[in-house]
Amino acid sequence: MMSGNYTSIDNQNVSGSVPAAVPDPGHLTVKFEDSNLQTFPPSEAHGKIASGARPPRDADDTFSKPVSGSDESQQSGWLRVFSVSSYKSYFDVDTSDVLERIKDSLLPFSGTFNEKTSNSPDLYGPFWICTTLIFVAAAIGTFVTYVAHKIKSKDWEYDINVVQWSAGLFYGYVTIVPLVLYVILKYFSAPSGLVQLFCLYGYSLFVFIPALCLSIVPIEIFRWVVAGVAGVMSATFVAVNLRAHIVSAGERWFLIVAGIFLLQLALSVVLKLYLFTITV
């Protein structure tokens, strides 16, 4: 039943993977060339997905590298002082870190605050401590004077200058004093960091927050005791933590530490005379 039109396959003439039918002599022979589709994926992959299903090579370049022409890539040297991004690391702290540093400020004789913050000083805690002090001082001072005037049946007027005076005092103190101390320590070749000084002085003011709250008690002697204890704790905290750094300044290290201690005590006296004293 089968005709003799089919001949045997010549294996030497077949180059593809699919057998080719060889027609009768005189007909055109069709050959299949090798294809790279036999291997998957192709050896030369194009596009963003390469062999091994790897992610795009430039997937994270937008986040890992500054864009050309951006402020971060252009600002360098002292110009970084005016860049907000250069201060991000000083505000990158957790609540537990801030609470731990506040606890250390209330234990002034431990002297471990500078060691714990030497590699990661922050400005977040000092900023909010000063800001809280401003509003607590204004609120407590206003409340105490209001109650004192009402007890004596006298007219009372709100004094807006309390907020302005408190802001100038606390922000100015925690900024100017560390700057001056930094210059002095540099002059005596004592190791110190400016941000670390800001951090130390900022946390040293925390003790005045509960002291201001206790000033509600209408007993003058009690207010003097509260202001004195807060001042001694704050001054001791700063002096003890800076003593180890200032000793390298030579024989005058004691005078520097004594000056730091007395200046912090002077702050508590100013607070007592202006905020803890109620006159009707």
Side-chain angles (χ1 to χ4, degrees), residues 221-278:
I221 297 178
F222 178 78
R223 289 173 178 170
W224 272 109
V225 172
V226 170
V229 171
V232 171
M233 290 179 63
S234 179
T236 304
F237 171 72
V238 175
V240 170
N241 281 280
L242 287 178
R243 181 182 59 182
H245 297 271
I246 300 176
V247 167
S248 60
E251 298 178 354
R252 300 180 181 179
W253 72 269
F254 181 78
L255 296 177
I256 299 176
V257 174
I260 293 171
F261 186 88
L262 293 177
L263 186 61
Q264 203 79 356
L265 281 181
L267 174 65
S268 65
V269 174
V270 172
L271 292 177
K272 167 62 185 73
L273 296 177
Y274 189 83
L275 296 177
F276 290 22
T277 302
I278 307 300

Side-chain angles (χ1 to χ4, degrees), residues 37-59:
L37 294 177
Q38 294 176 353
T39 58
F40 183 82
S43 59
E44 296 181 359
H46 299 283
K48 289 190 174 182
I49 301 181
S51 60
R54 284 180 285 182
R57 185 176 301 175
D58 58 343

Side-chain angles (χ1 to χ4, degrees), residues 63-146:
F63 304 98
S64 60
K65 298 179 181 178
V67 181
S68 59
S70 64
D71 294 340
E72 185 177 355
S73 61
Q74 291 179 354
Q75 292 177 351
S76 60
W78 65 274
L79 291 178
R80 290 175 58 85
V81 177
F82 302 100
S83 175
V84 177
S85 60
S86 60
Y87 297 96
K88 288 182 180 179
S89 59
Y90 300 124
F91 290 86
D92 187 16
V93 290
D94 297 331
T95 303
S96 58
D97 297 330
V98 176
L99 293 177
E100 181 69 21
R101 295 175 182 185
I102 289 176
K103 185 179 71 174
D104 289 338
S105 69
L106 297 177
L107 302 173
F109 294 99
S110 61
T112 59
F113 183 86
N114 269 358
E115 296 179 2
K116 294 180 180 179
T117 61
S118 59
N119 296 326
S120 59
D122 73 283
L123 298 177
Y124 180 87
F127 172 78
W128 283 111
I129 288 174
C130 291
T131 304
T132 304
L133 269 172
I134 293 169
F135 286 100
V136 168
I140 296 297
T142 300
F143 175 76
V144 172
T145 54
Y146 173 79

Side-chain angles (χ1 to χ4, degrees), residues 86 113 117 134 151 155 165 169 192 207-208 231 244 261 278:
S86 60
F113 183 86
T117 61
I134 293 169
I151 291 176
D155 296 333
W165 187 89
L169 175 65
S192 63
V207 69
F208 291 107
F261 186 88
I278 307 300

Side-chain angles (χ1 to χ4, degrees), residues 1-16:
M1 300 298 291
M2 296 182 63
S3 62
N5 293 333
Y6 296 96
T7 59
S8 61
I9 297 176
D10 187 0
N11 293 332
Q12 297 178 354
N13 295 329
V14 179
S15 59

